[in-house]
Amino acid sequence: MIASSLAVDSKLPAVGTTIFTVMSRLASECGAINLSQGFPDFQAEPALFEATMQAMRDGRNQYPPMAGVPELRAAIADKLASLYGTRFDAEQEITVTAGATQALFTAIAAFVHSGDEVIVFAPVYDSYVPSIETVGGKAVYAQLRFPDYTPDWDAVRALITPRTRMIIINSPHNPSGSVLSAEDLAVLAEIVRDTDIVVLSDEVYEHIVFDGRQHCSVVSHPALAARSLTVSSFGKTYHITGWKIGYVLGAADLMREFRKVHQFNVFTVNTPCQIGIADYMRDASRHLGLARFYEQKRDFFREQLRASRFELLPCCGTYFQLARYDAISGRSDREFAEWLTRDVGVAAIPVSAFHPDGRDDGVVRFCFAKREETLAAAGEKLRQI
Ligand SMILES: Cc1ncc(COP(=O)(O)O)c(C=O)c1O
């Protein structure tokens, strides 16, 4: 260890280790079934690995173009046109990123100036606020309604000031599994109409929506699409969270600004993996089948908990299930999640970790992106408390 005596003026004094790392570490220390962090415990398909290996063997191992390999940007453009009816220009309007997290950070860094305000919805995904604060912006919180986690648009309207530079939305929503409707997007479009507010739309779970719903992307709303940057993640879609590859979409004027930061932030993203994904995603059934795949897992997990004392909240999308536990315990959600991990043997995330003010509604989040045997083993333990 090297001891430093520098007086460091931290840009993020309140930030410690994320709750996901803390709970995953605790789960592994206790040998608990880890339903905390959002990653699958099953393999992606061999065809994806084959295509990636082939790209390596073909010598595609050097820097790709800054915006991403042409094959992948073309495949993304085709997917978007067929899903949302909007044709993005692969040259100017699509950039491949090192996961959604980097896309979100870079978008914030490109548009948010010191002192600007950014509206986020609480509970809020953990990377947004530190990203805003790193660049000197100020997060302004709109509460989602409990327990259905829908936005209160009148409250959002009241939060807008001349300093509001950006609104970040996330649908399907982590941690709640709620989704925005076409009406929500229409109201948002109306709220921002006469402003220069940029909408940053985190749609990493775009292919995981249940019960016959269609994902409402800002991409399919012309007025919003013109002022939005939309972010997605191949990690979520193809069961490869560790590859850290995603993309961002936006009108050429916005994308130009995004790329100014991107080129000095990461510059480019792993070449052979991009080519492997481009090849793999040409078979649309691989993303179109995802909703059904996870709907079965959701239903299986909910069935496991039916005879338990947890109260399950609705789950319209994502691979997360929220559960109230007030019939089991009066502990705070952090204490409950720790007890669940240590004494019951199942790790979950306390939802207060997503609330900047620590608001605690007595709810924990389980990740059901797991094999059935994992979910069944967890269910057996959870039914006993
Ligand atoms: C809402 C949301 N946005 C972004 C991310 C980050 O995605 P990536 O792993 O591609 O950086 C996640 C991952 O859990 C997420 O849940």
Side-chain angles (χ1 to χ4, degrees), residues 38 98-102 104 125 127-128 170 172-174 202-205 231-236 241 244-246 319-320 365:
T101 312
Q102 182 248 312
L104 293 161
Y125 180 65
S127 83
Y128 304 167
N170 170 216
H173 179 251
N174 177 10
D202 179 346
E203 303 186 12
V204 299
Y205 300 103
V231 172
S232 191
S233 169
F234 294 114
K236 308 293 177 188
T241 59
K244 294 299 290 183
I245 302 187
Y319 45 52
F320 302 113
R365 188 198 78 174

Side-chain angles (χ1 to χ4, degrees), residues 55-78:
M56 289 184 194
R57 282 192 288 261
D58 290 344
R60 304 288 301 270
N61 298 303
Q62 309 309 330
Y63 293 131
M66 189 257 281
V69 300
E71 296 95 319
L72 183 53
R73 281 182 284 142
I76 294 168
D78 289 348

